[in-house]
Amino acid sequence: MSAALTPVQAPSQAIDLPNKAYMLPQSVPMWPPVWWTWLIVAAIVLLLIGALIFYYRRYKKRTYRREALAGITQEVGKLNDKDCILLCHEMVRRCLMSEGKIETAALPSKTLFEILDKTLPTKRQFSIIGNEFIDGPYRSQIELTKQQRTAMLKTTCYWIRKHHA
């Protein structure tokens, strides 16, 4: 009974597994992918390029809006009330002309701002500012309160940012 294993025999013995005759294939690589994957990659790349071109053209097309807003914010502190009203009128008309609405830009102020009010939400309309804004350029002396001036500038800047002439 003393069939003891010798230390030399123990590590040399391997575990015998059944079915040694099977040959397993090598693993299938993930690359290169299926042939139609390249079509999808090309479509995605073309879609991204098209989106970039679209947004670049849109950015260039709306440059006049950024320039108008920058002009208002830079010059408004230096101007008196009448000149501030004239600047707002001028920027609205310039934006209309940049959009190709020359006939609309040439309308009298009262008619012009009535038309523009139809496209604005009720709380952002030019008519809420009052007659001082619409008739201001035609008056010799005009005094605006700080609230009126702020409302006028906010409404004009809102229209410049959001209009679809």
Side-chain angles (χ1 to χ4, degrees), residues 56-74:
Y56 179 73
R57 284 185 180 171
R58 183 177 179 209
Y59 175 81
K60 293 296 269 182
K61 183 180 173 186
R62 294 184 175 188
T63 301
Y64 73 93
R65 293 181 189 209
R66 290 186 299 279
E67 290 174 355
L69 289 171
I72 286 177
T73 55
Q74 288 175 357

Side-chain angles (χ1 to χ4, degrees), residues 22 65 67 72 75 84 90 99 109 145 164:
Y22 290 118
R65 293 181 189 209
E67 290 174 355
I72 286 177
E75 296 180 23
C84 187
E90 178 185 350
E99 285 285 325
S109 294
T145 64
H164 300 286

Side-chain angles (χ1 to χ4, degrees), residues 4-22:
L5 293 175
T6 63
V8 177
Q9 292 177 347
S12 66
Q13 288 181 350
I15 300 174
D16 285 337
L17 296 174
N19 304 326
K20 287 185 178 181
Y22 290 118

Side-chain angles (χ1 to χ4, degrees), residues 2-163:
S2 76
L5 293 175
T6 63
V8 177
Q9 292 177 347
S12 66
Q13 288 181 350
I15 300 174
D16 285 337
L17 296 174
N19 304 326
K20 287 185 178 181
Y22 290 118
M23 295 188 65
L24 298 174
Q26 293 182 356
S27 62
V28 178
M30 291 300 293
W31 199 259
V34 192
W35 67 269
W36 46 263
T37 306
W38 297 113
L39 294 176
I40 293 173
V41 169
I44 290 172
V45 167
L46 289 176
L47 186 67
L48 287 174
I49 290 172
L52 288 173
I53 290 171
F54 172 77
Y55 282 114
Y56 179 73
R57 284 185 180 171
R58 183 177 179 209
Y59 175 81
K60 293 296 269 182
K61 183 180 173 186
R62 294 184 175 188
T63 301
Y64 73 93
R65 293 181 189 209
R66 290 186 299 279
E67 290 174 355
L69 289 171
I72 286 177
T73 55
Q74 288 175 357
E75 296 180 23
V76 105
K78 307 176 227 173
L79 301 174
N80 62 18
D81 291 337
K82 185 173 182 174
D83 290 338
C84 187
I85 293 171
L86 284 170
L87 178 68
C88 290
H89 281 239
E90 178 185 350
M91 290 303 175
V92 168
R93 291 180 192 275
R94 279 187 179 184
C95 288
L96 286 169
M97 291 180 73
S98 295
E99 285 285 325
K101 301 289 184 176
I102 297 170
E103 298 84 20
T104 308
L107 292 173
S109 294
K110 186 170 183 156
T111 310
L112 171 66
F113 289 110
E114 286 174 359
I115 291 171
L116 296 181
D117 279 347
K118 292 177 184 175
T119 63
L120 293 171
T122 52
K123 66 180 183 177
R124 298 284 191 158
Q125 292 182 350
F126 289 105
S127 59
I128 294 174
I129 301 171
N131 288 334
E132 291 83 9
F133 178 71
I134 296 171
D135 299 332
Y138 309 112
R139 295 183 186 175
S140 60
Q141 292 289 345
I142 188 156
E143 295 279 329
L144 294 176
T145 64
K146 187 169 179 106
Q147 293 168 344
Q148 286 176 319
R149 189 174 174 135
T150 305
M152 176 186 65
L153 292 172
K154 280 185 178 179
T155 305
T156 304
C157 289
Y158 177 81
W159 183 85
I160 290 171
R161 281 192 317 271
K162 301 291 182 178
H163 80 279

